[in-house]
Amino acid sequence: MSNCFSCGSSLDSLGRVYRSTLCPTCGKDVHVCLNCRFYEPGVHWDCRETISEPVRDKDRANFCDFFMLASGNRKSGQQGRPDRASNARSQFDDLFSND
C-alpha cells in the first residue's frame, strides 16, 4: 500500500506514476523523493540509490529514473517529518534544566 507523503491517502489506484502525476486527494506531486521507496534521511543525499547529484526539493516533482512508490506503513504529512528546531530546543532545555 502506497500513501501520499502529504495527506496520507492511498495511491494504489494510480497505476504508473509520471512526473506530472498528482495526488487525487490533495493535489500534491506524487513523483517526489518523500513518496519514493529509496528515500531514507541520513544516507548519502537521502537516497539509497546511487544518484549522481542531490535532489534539493524532496517534496517537488523530479526526473529521477530510480523512483518507485514506497510501500508499507510510512508516516505521512507534517506529523511524519520531525521538526528539527523544536527537537533541538527540547534537547537543549533538557540538557540545561535545573530539575
Side-chain angles (χ1 to χ4, degrees), residues 14-99:
L14 292 178
R16 188 168 176 159
V17 175
Y18 299 95
R19 183 181 183 278
S20 60
T21 303
L22 300 176
C23 173
T25 304
C26 69
K28 297 279 187 176
D29 294 325
V30 174
H31 194 286
V32 300
C33 294
L34 296 176
N35 282 335
C36 183
R37 71 179 301 190
F38 301 114
Y39 175 70
E40 186 174 329
V43 300
H44 185 63
W45 289 330
D46 297 332
C47 185
R48 288 184 280 139
E49 277 295 337
T50 54
I51 57 177
S52 59
E53 56 188 61
V55 176
R56 300 286 179 213
D57 297 321
K58 307 278 190 228
D59 61 344
R60 299 192 64 201
N62 58 60
F63 292 100
C64 182
D65 292 329
F66 295 111
F67 178 83
M68 292 180 70
L69 270 175
S71 60
N73 211 2
R74 181 179 277 191
K75 290 182 180 179
S76 62
Q78 293 296 331
Q79 74 257 10
R81 290 188 234 155
D83 181 6
R84 288 180 150 174
S86 73
N87 284 347
R89 171 57 68 189
S90 175
Q91 290 174 352
F92 179 82
D93 291 341
D94 291 345
L95 183 62
F96 292 103
S97 67
N98 290 329
D99 295 336

